[in-house]
Amino acid sequence: ENWAEYSQELPELNNKELTKILTEKYKQLPEEIKQKYIEDFQKEKREFEANLACFKENHPGLAQVSKTSDVYKRCQTKARKKLQGNVKKCEISNRN
């Protein structure tokens, strides 16, 4: 909830750096305040899951059932290509 405020105060920071600062600020909060955030998150999660179940029930053709993530597959492909590039570099080096 403080993202916009810190983003304006520290415009030179990128998202990763800003996230680190906000994470540290969160860690410094008292447990009772953290508990409020946890409870709010759990409530929103339950509402989301209920809405998602309702959507899937009302739109069975649109809801995809996937056991693996496409992102994971893409990451594997990129890693495989990078590895293949490294193998080619090694083969060239070994020839010389």
Side-chain angles (χ1 to χ4, degrees), residues 11-57:
E12 69 279 2
L13 298 182
N14 63 33
N15 284 338
K16 184 177 178 181
E17 295 165 334
L18 192 56
T19 299
K20 285 181 182 181
I21 289 173
L22 290 170
T23 299
E24 287 303 315
K25 294 285 185 186
Y26 177 79
K27 287 179 182 179
Q28 295 171 2
L29 290 175
E31 286 302 316
E32 55 271 6
I33 294 177
K34 287 183 190 178
Q35 188 60 38
K36 177 193 170 294
Y37 285 118
I38 292 168
E39 290 170 4
D40 290 346
F41 168 77
Q42 293 296 333
K43 179 183 173 191
E44 289 178 21
K45 182 178 176 185
R46 285 190 300 273
E47 290 172 1
F48 171 80
E49 289 172 346
N51 289 337
L52 182 60
C54 183
F55 175 82
K56 286 181 177 181
E57 185 178 310

